[in-house]
Amino acid sequence: MGFNCAMNSIGQVLHDERFSNTLGTPVATTANDNVVMIYTPGSGNQVIVREGDPSPIVGANLGSPTISQGFGPLGRFGFGCTMTGAVTTTDDTALFIADASGIQVVHREGTSHPALPTGVLMGTGNFTTSYSDYQGGSLAFYCALTGAVTAFNDTSMWLGRPGNLQLIAREGEPAPGFANLPGFVSATFGDTNTGSSGIVAGSVQMNEHGQMVFSQVSVTVVDGTGTNVRSCTYSWDPTTGLQLFASAIDNYNTVGGLTNAFTAGGQQFPSVDDCPLDLNNNGDITHGVFFNTGGAAVRTRLGSLGASPSAL
């Protein structure tokens, strides 16, 4: 039996399994034994993705699938895999969206994109992706960049659906959220001293309205206190855009008064609502914060006071 299991609001169950290598006719092999199924009440299980089957990419076969977080009432889901067949180590990973009618490519390693300068290519998309029914089915994912890049600009965050990818944030670019600090000079995604970290594979969550939250983002901030690398979590909203969600220098109202946090908040609690983990379709998110005196759970709403057109 597999590890991942999710149920949507119409009672379908998405789950991954492995076929037996000793029983059945024909017997499955290690090259085609991993599968993703959808169980529909009254109809039973249907294999949607099977390792070794042809992918939508000509000449490439599907590898062992890793399911995205998130499974909505459209019956679609995301997954990533390392493909086999007519591929190389520079183009063998890909991210897909699938349902009972077929599989579509969202991202493939080694491809270019209009949002990237000439010579910069999409690298391996992290398989820890977030799926939602936003715009008919979309994926949010971290992605390494290759080609004409350095250690200071080779990580990124993307939102996309088949045929439509959008760059959300890239290491080396200006980072919002710190302009109100005394003596503020600049804020840049990544560690501008060492080139380490940046926008790496933390936790990314997305709801059906396309709102995203992603963690483990390093930001180099230059202000009146000097140059400091801050650990941050960012959010993105189709209306308000990219915003700082939490940082390791935030103050919170607690029973002891204003208390400074030393983490940017962890994301781990379930929200239900056909959404992955802790972000629901109202934009509510609960995340962990740790202080020198202990920890707390904080509830926040994305996009507060950011409606368009102007409304409250």
Side-chain angles (χ1 to χ4, degrees), residues 48-121:
I48 309 298
V49 176
R50 182 172 182 179
E51 179 186 13
D53 282 354
S55 80
I57 299 170
V58 176
N61 298 324
L62 296 172
S64 179
T66 299
I67 302 176
S68 305
Q69 292 284 343
F71 181 45
L74 292 180
R76 294 177 183 146
F77 63 95
F79 73 95
C81 71
T82 300
M83 300 177 292
T84 60
V87 294
T88 70
T89 55
T90 61
D91 64 4
D92 61 348
T93 61
L95 303 175
F96 304 90
I97 286 178
D99 60 18
S101 64
I103 301 171
Q104 294 179 288
V105 181
V106 175
H107 155 72
R108 184 184 183 182
E109 178 187 8
T111 56
S112 60
H113 190 276
L116 299 173
T118 301
V120 179
L121 300 176

Side-chain angles (χ1 to χ4, degrees), residues 264-289:
Q267 300 167 238
Q268 59 187 355
F269 306 107
S271 75
V272 303
D273 216 13
D274 289 324
C275 298
L277 297 185
D278 51 359
L279 173 63
N280 71 14
N281 285 328
N282 290 324
D284 296 316
I285 183 168
T286 307
H287 64 109
V289 175

Side-chain angles (χ1 to χ4, degrees), residues 64 89 164 197 215 274 310:
S64 179
T89 55
N164 189 325
S197 301
S215 63
D274 289 324
S310 299

Side-chain angles (χ1 to χ4, degrees), residues 18-21 27-34 50-52 63-64:
R18 186 172 66 83
F19 287 148
S20 171
N21 298 143
V27 133
T29 70
T30 55
N32 63 11
D33 55 354
N34 289 293
R50 182 172 182 179
E51 179 186 13
S64 179

Side-chain angles (χ1 to χ4, degrees), residues 99-156:
D99 60 18
S101 64
I103 301 171
Q104 294 179 288
V105 181
V106 175
H107 155 72
R108 184 184 183 182
E109 178 187 8
T111 56
S112 60
H113 190 276
L116 299 173
T118 301
V120 179
L121 300 176
M122 303 280 286
T124 301
N126 188 271
F127 290 170
T128 306
T129 60
S130 179
Y131 169 86
S132 83
D133 285 342
Y134 175 61
Q135 295 186 331
S138 300
L139 286 180
F141 61 96
Y142 295 87
C143 188
L145 302 176
T146 61
V149 297
T150 69
F152 299 91
N153 61 10
D154 62 351
T155 60
S156 58

Side-chain angles (χ1 to χ4, degrees), residues 1-252:
M1 302 300 291
F3 174 77
N4 294 287
C5 186
M7 183 169 64
N8 63 18
S9 58
I10 62 174
Q12 291 179 309
V13 179
L14 175 72
H15 56 113
D16 58 351
E17 312 295 352
R18 186 172 66 83
F19 287 148
S20 171
N21 298 143
T22 58
L23 302 175
T25 305
V27 133
T29 70
T30 55
N32 63 11
D33 55 354
N34 289 293
V35 297
V36 179
M37 297 180 174
I38 291 180
Y39 169 83
T40 302
S43 300
N45 281 297
Q46 180 180 359
V47 174
I48 309 298
V49 176
R50 182 172 182 179
E51 179 186 13
D53 282 354
S55 80
I57 299 170
V58 176
N61 298 324
L62 296 172
S64 179
T66 299
I67 302 176
S68 305
Q69 292 284 343
F71 181 45
L74 292 180
R76 294 177 183 146
F77 63 95
F79 73 95
C81 71
T82 300
M83 300 177 292
T84 60
V87 294
T88 70
T89 55
T90 61
D91 64 4
D92 61 348
T93 61
L95 303 175
F96 304 90
I97 286 178
D99 60 18
S101 64
I103 301 171
Q104 294 179 288
V105 181
V106 175
H107 155 72
R108 184 184 183 182
E109 178 187 8
T111 56
S112 60
H113 190 276
L116 299 173
T118 301
V120 179
L121 300 176
M122 303 280 286
T124 301
N126 188 271
F127 290 170
T128 306
T129 60
S130 179
Y131 169 86
S132 83
D133 285 342
Y134 175 61
Q135 295 186 331
S138 300
L139 286 180
F141 61 96
Y142 295 87
C143 188
L145 302 176
T146 61
V149 297
T150 69
F152 299 91
N153 61 10
D154 62 351
T155 60
S156 58
M157 170 60 65
W158 296 77
L159 168 65
R161 60 188 191 278
N164 189 325
L165 273 181
Q166 180 177 356
L167 177 63
I168 299 299
R170 181 184 178 186
E171 181 183 7
E173 295 184 347
F178 294 93
N180 62 335
L181 293 177
F184 173 79
V185 176
S186 65
T188 307
F189 285 119
D191 186 334
T192 59
N193 297 311
T194 66
S196 61
S197 301
I199 302 171
V200 298
S203 173
V204 55
Q205 311 300 330
M206 175 175 58
N207 63 19
E208 68 177 17
H209 303 298
Q211 294 176 313
M212 298 166 48
V213 178
F214 54 101
S215 63
Q216 292 190 22
V217 178
S218 296
V219 175
T220 300
V221 180
V222 182
D223 60 16
T225 66
T227 300
N228 300 282
V229 179
R230 306 297 188 189
S231 174
C232 303
T233 296
Y234 273 81
S235 67
W236 184 87
D237 180 277
T239 299
T240 58
L242 187 64
Q243 295 180 319
L244 179 65
F245 176 76
S247 75
I249 59 172
D250 289 340
N251 285 311
Y252 293 84

